[in-house]
């Protein structure tokens, strides 16, 4: 595949944004006030979802850098 | 009125981060936009996973998410018909049968295909109606968004209209279609990741799918059982109306001929990738009910205002936000709002980029200033972005009181899009369809839709519901187009066959790249059909 790449790889901004979100949510889930989770039935949804997003974002970044090598 | 949600710094951080990344992507793409082809077709260079997700995301706009959650709260699981029968078959058909003619003829837009296949007037009719419709839709999206943000966060209509318009304007102006597509992929993930938490907690609260099924009316959990007659189901449409009107005419009209979605596939790197685009999009499309139908059902199960004996006429469009308010703590709340914001922007940017191309090439470049150098059209395209955004802001203020936004969308589609599929079907698969046959058929179809609507409004025609009227209107418009095209074609002059090379089935010299079995569009298309069929049986 030696064709000229037109654009930068989308996986970079996508992976960065998602992992940044994941980090923010997870931290907020750990450090934030526990009373916050009354709404979500006591589930620490920020922490859970933060981890899910960190993994999703991380996968995009990993794919980008693995492809490059 | 107090806003329904209260958000804090963390939520603003998440929303702001999204806006910044969106603008950054547009800015970073700016330097790659050297030719008209870069700006309008992404240089035909994108892989199919990107175009596929963008294909879906461009359609997953404001009305889609909010309107479909509203429909689900109102009608229950019947809403899946807009997906499983009203989208998937058409998307597969586009990928397997129609895409070769679109992609290989090197056209820039769907109206341009009509010019080559039929004649200039047919293209003009389609280009002008499409341009008007697209800009209208963009205005409707903005209005819906502004309304939602007002009730959600207390932002004024004007400030949210200006904010979203400015962001979309910036990134489309800089990066054209590529920018729109890249952002649509980001939006795709944000919509899913933003909406899933509320589904997750909602299902935990109601006891999973089975628990949920017991907490909503019995008919809300069956997709087909109540479809025998229009009197027995909440939609007010029988199975024939759903299959012919929605599943065949409206769905094929939209998914196979609407330039908004087809444009995404045209940006693919090669024919195989272009054909895989709508087929790959079919899988997430079949699953979209998870983030729209389930929230609608959960709202009915847990929020008293949507239950029988609740408010007399509940505001269904607020169902999704009320769920956010009910379940989401700050943090994921910001993410959910970002998901909605993303869906609004993707819908709007999709409209703007499609409008750009059609205006620049099919109207400006064909009737106002022909044969100008490429740089000229690139420039016109960029400034058309500004013009298009301004017109949709105007439209946003004009759009007002319609009972259900979704019904209005169906109405607009059925005037213009429904007959179109007959024209394309005959154009692509019947070489004896003549230029004037195409034109008069299309015009007759649009008129038939308008006449039907007039008779329905005047109460000469009766249907159990407005949606039923729309579905049947689409069907009659399609049939009129189909018959008139054939009849006129029998009496008018044909195009010489050599001019139809590559545009019509059987006359094509389609050269395809060889790909392995597991990357073939036909294989994926069959898997998608089986998958969707199984879903229908499961929720029968």
């Amino acid at each position: 595949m030696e064709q000229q790449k037109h654009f930068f790889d989308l996986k970079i901004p996508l992976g960065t944004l998602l992992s940044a979100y994941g980090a923010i949510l997870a931290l907020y889930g750990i450090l934030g006030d526990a009373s916050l989770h009354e709404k979500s039935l006591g589930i620490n949804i920020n922490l859970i979802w933060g981890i899910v997003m960190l993994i999703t974002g991380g996968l995009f970044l990993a794919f980008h850098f693995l492809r490059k090598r | 009125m107090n806003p329904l949600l209260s958000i804090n710094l963390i939520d603003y951080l998440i929303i702001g981060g999204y806006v910044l990344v969106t603008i950054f992507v547009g800015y970073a793409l700016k330097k790659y936009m050297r030719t008209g082809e870069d700006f309008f077709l992404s240089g035909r260079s994108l892989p199919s996973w990107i175009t596929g997700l963008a294909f879906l995301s461009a359609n997953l706009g404001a009305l889609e998410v909010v309107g479909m959650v509203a429909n689900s709260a109102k009608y229950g699981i019947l809403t899946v018909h807009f997906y499983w029968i009203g989208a998937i078959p058409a998307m597969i058909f586009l990928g397997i049968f129609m895409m070769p003619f679109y992609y290989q003829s090197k056209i820039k837009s769907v109206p341009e295909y009509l010019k080559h296949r039929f004649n200039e007037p047919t293209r003009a009719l389609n280009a002008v109606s499409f341009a008007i419709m697209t800009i209208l839709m963009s205005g409707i999206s903005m209005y819906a968004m502004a309304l939602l943000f007002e009730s959600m966060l207390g932002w004024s209509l004007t400030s949210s209209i200006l904010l979203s318009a400015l962001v979309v304007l910036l990134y489309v102006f800089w990066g054209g279609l590529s920018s729109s597509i890249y952002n649509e992929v980001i939006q795709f993930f944000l919509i899913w990741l933003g909406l899933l938490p509320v589904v997750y907690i909602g299902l935990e609260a109601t006891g999973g799918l089975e628990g949920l099924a017991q907490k909503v009316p019995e008919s809300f959990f069956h997709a087909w059982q109540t479809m025998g007659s229009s009197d027995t189901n909440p939609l007010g449409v029988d199975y024939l109306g759903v299959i012919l009107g929605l599943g065949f005419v409206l769905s094929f009209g939209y998914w196979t001929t609407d330039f908004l979605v087809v444009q995404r596939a045209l940006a693919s790197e090669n024919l195989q990738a272009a054909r895989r685009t709508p087929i790959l999009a079919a899988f997430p499309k079949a699953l979209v009910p998870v983030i729209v139908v389930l929230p609608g059902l959960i709202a009915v199960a847990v929020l008293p205002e949507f239950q029988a004996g609740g408010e007399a006429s509940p505001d269904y469009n607020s169902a999704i936000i009320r769920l956010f308010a009910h379940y989401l703590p700050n943090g994921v709340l910001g993410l959910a709002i970002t998901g909605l914001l993303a869906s609004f922007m993707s819908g709007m940017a999709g409209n703007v980029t499609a409008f750009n191309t059609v205006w620049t090439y099919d109207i400006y470049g064909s009737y106002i200033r022909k044969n100008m150098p490429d740089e000229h059209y690139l420039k016109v395209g960029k400034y058309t972005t500004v013009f298009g955004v301004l017109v949709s802001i105007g439209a946003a203020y004009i759009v007002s009181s319609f009972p259900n936004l979704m019904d209005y969308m169906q109405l607009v589609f059925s005037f213009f899009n429904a007959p179109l599929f007959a024209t394309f079907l005959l154009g692509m698969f019947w070489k004896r369809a003549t230029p004037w046959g195409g034109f008069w058929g299309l015009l007759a179809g649009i008129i038939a839709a308008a006449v039907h609507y007039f008779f329905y409004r005047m109460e000469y025609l009766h249907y159990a519901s407005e949606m039923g009227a729309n579905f049947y209107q689409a069907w009659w418009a399609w049939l009129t187009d189909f018959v008139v095209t054939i009849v006129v074609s029998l009496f008018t002059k044909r195009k010489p066959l050599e001019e139809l090379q590559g545009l019509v089935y059987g006359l094509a010299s389609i050269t395809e790249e060889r790909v392995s079995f597991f990357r073939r569009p036909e294989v994926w298309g069959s898997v998608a059909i089986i998958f969707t069929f199984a879903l229908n049986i499961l929720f029968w």
Side-chain angles (χ1 to χ4, degrees):
Chain A
M1 291 267 269
E2 242 336 280
Q3 75 190 71
Q4 187 212 338
K5 278 282 169 217
H6 268 76
F7 311 118
F8 60 84
D9 190 351
L10 172 63
K11 294 189 216 65
I12 305 168
L14 182 57
T16 312
L17 181 70
L18 296 186
S19 7
Y21 277 172
I24 294 174
L25 287 181
L27 278 179
Y28 193 51
I30 297 169
L31 304 175
D33 200 15
S35 67
L36 212 57
H37 308 127
E38 276 165 22
K39 263 190 185 174
S40 50
L41 314 169
I43 303 170
N44 191 343
I45 187 74
N46 278 331
L47 180 59
I48 297 175
W49 212 245
I51 294 171
V52 170
M53 292 193 73
L54 262 176
I55 294 173
T56 320
L59 280 178
F60 278 111
L61 292 177
F63 273 122
H64 170 75
F65 289 109
L66 286 179
R67 272 281 170 85
K68 241 182 156 182
R69 284 199 299 151
Chain B
M1 194 176 74
N2 282 329
L4 291 166
L5 306 177
S6 64
I7 58 176
N8 69 10
L9 199 67
I10 297 283
D11 301 314
Y12 273 116
L13 191 68
I14 291 175
I15 299 172
Y18 166 70
V19 172
L20 281 184
V21 167
T22 298
I23 295 175
F24 166 79
V25 166
Y27 185 72
L29 283 167
K30 188 179 157 200
K31 63 170 187 252
Y32 298 95
M33 298 298 123
R34 285 171 300 243
T35 65
E37 182 144 304
D38 291 333
F39 190 80
F40 293 107
L41 278 175
S42 300
R44 290 178 183 263
S45 62
L46 300 176
S48 53
W49 75 271
I50 290 187
T51 51
L53 295 182
F55 185 94
L56 179 60
S57 205
N59 163 262
L60 206 57
L63 302 179
E64 180 73 14
V65 174
V66 176
M68 285 301 179
V69 175
N71 274 340
S72 311
K74 207 168 164 182
Y75 306 122
I77 218 165
L78 291 173
T79 309
V80 298
H81 293 315
F82 287 97
Y83 297 86
W84 297 343
I85 185 139
I88 307 296
M91 291 164 81
I92 308 297
F93 187 81
L94 170 68
I96 292 183
F97 298 106
M98 292 172 74
M99 196 50 77
F101 306 110
Y102 280 137
Y103 191 85
Q104 285 257 305
S105 52
K106 297 277 172 207
I107 49 157
K108 290 192 179 69
S109 71
V110 167
E112 193 182 342
Y113 174 84
L114 289 176
K115 178 199 159 189
H116 295 309
R117 174 60 186 88
F118 296 107
N119 54 14
E120 201 62 62
T122 315
R123 183 250 284 264
L125 180 62
N126 178 238
V128 172
S129 63
F130 177 82
I132 295 172
M133 185 172 86
T134 310
I135 270 314
L136 256 180
M137 285 309 301
S138 171
I140 296 172
S141 292
M142 269 216 275
Y143 171 74
M145 183 220 68
L147 217 55
L148 196 74
F149 273 75
E150 187 183 37
S151 66
M152 203 159 63
L153 305 172
W155 296 359
S156 78
L157 287 188
T158 305
S159 56
S160 39
I161 286 180
L162 289 186
L163 172 77
S164 60
L166 187 71
V167 172
V168 169
L169 174 66
L170 274 180
Y171 77 74
V172 176
F173 184 84
W174 280 328
L177 181 65
S178 319
S179 193
S180 180
I181 288 183
Y182 267 29
N183 272 311
E184 277 153 11
V185 176
I186 296 177
Q187 285 147 4
F188 172 87
F189 287 99
L190 289 181
I191 294 167
W192 278 89
L193 290 168
L195 293 178
L196 278 175
V198 84
V199 177
Y200 171 65
I201 303 173
L203 284 181
E204 284 287 311
T206 51
L209 271 184
E210 278 169 28
L212 182 60
Q214 281 160 9
K215 291 187 178 65
V216 296
E218 163 79 20
S219 70
F220 269 42
F221 236 76
H222 294 292
W224 288 101
Q225 271 184 16
T226 58
M227 297 304 288
S229 121
S230 59
D231 303 326
T232 53
N233 72 74
L235 273 183
V237 194
D238 55 8
Y239 70 96
L240 199 66
V242 165
I243 291 173
L244 288 182
L246 177 64
F248 181 59
V249 178
L250 280 175
S251 151
F252 279 74
Y254 175 73
W255 289 101
T256 68
T257 72
D258 195 291
F259 182 50
L260 168 67
V261 286
V262 174
Q263 187 178 30
R264 270 77 203 147
L266 294 182
S268 307
E269 59 195 349
N270 55 44
L271 176 58
Q272 288 285 345
R275 295 180 67 201
R276 275 197 307 268
T277 296
I279 295 171
L280 288 182
F283 290 92
K285 182 73 183 173
L287 294 175
V288 170
V290 172
I291 49 170
V292 298
V293 176
L294 288 181
L297 293 173
I298 293 168
V300 174
V302 298
L303 301 178
E305 57 263 53
F306 298 112
Q307 288 160 356
E311 288 170 30
S313 53
D315 175 17
Y316 287 106
N317 281 327
S318 72
I320 184 79
I321 315 169
R322 284 176 195 277
L323 270 191
F324 289 172
H326 193 72
Y327 282 134
L328 296 186
N330 293 106
V332 280
L333 179 64
L335 188 67
I337 295 170
T338 307
L340 280 187
L341 191 65
S343 86
F344 293 130
M345 288 190 181
S346 64
M348 185 180 164
N351 284 317
V352 171
T353 45
F355 174 78
N356 255 355
T357 307
V358 170
W359 167 262
T360 307
Y361 285 111
D362 293 299
I363 300 176
Y364 181 85
S366 305
Y367 307 112
I368 300 177
R369 293 192 76 175
K370 277 189 196 176
N371 304 322
M372 297 294 285
D374 187 58
E375 303 92 75
H376 179 76
Y377 292 123
L378 176 59
K379 217 172 185 177
V380 170
K382 289 197 149 193
Y383 287 100
T384 302
T385 312
V386 182
F387 171 72
V389 168
L390 286 179
V391 175
S392 30
I393 292 176
Y397 282 102
I398 294 169
V399 186
S400 52
S401 56
F402 258 89
N404 192 328
L405 291 166
M406 201 62 206
D407 287 345
Y408 181 58
M409 192 159 83
Q410 298 284 353
L411 175 73
V412 178
F413 281 174
S414 53
F415 277 23
F416 295 107
N417 265 342
L420 206 53
F421 179 60
T423 305
F424 277 88
L425 194 63
L426 290 169
M428 278 184 183
F429 299 98
W430 191 49
K431 55 180 178 249
R432 296 182 55 187
T434 65
W436 287 107
F439 177 79
W440 290 112
L442 184 55
L443 189 63
I446 295 171
I447 293 172
V451 167
H452 180 280
Y453 182 69
F454 178 76
F455 281 162
Y456 171 64
R457 280 285 138 190
M458 293 285 109
E459 301 187 0
Y460 296 128
L461 291 168
H462 295 281
Y463 296 96
S465 70
E466 197 153 320
M467 208 180 281
N470 285 336
F471 290 176
Y472 275 100
Q473 177 174 306
W475 162 251
W476 292 118
W478 182 88
L479 192 68
T480 308
D481 183 336
F482 193 76
V483 172
V484 171
T485 305
I486 292 177
V487 172
V488 175
S489 290
L490 295 176
F491 298 102
T492 47
K493 196 165 160 281
R494 285 186 222 165
K495 257 196 172 180
L497 285 184
E498 52 271 24
E499 283 181 29
L500 297 180
Q501 288 292 334
L503 298 171
V504 186
Y505 185 76
L507 289 177
S509 44
I510 302 284
T511 44
E512 267 191 298
E513 307 79 15
R514 288 171 151 272
V515 289
S516 64
F517 181 77
F518 288 106
R519 300 185 69 179
R520 290 191 62 84
E522 290 83 0
V523 175
W524 282 103
S526 314
V527 175
I529 289 286
I530 295 167
F531 178 58
T532 313
F533 193 74
L535 285 174
N536 270 297
I537 300 298
L538 206 62
F539 290 94
W540 186 265

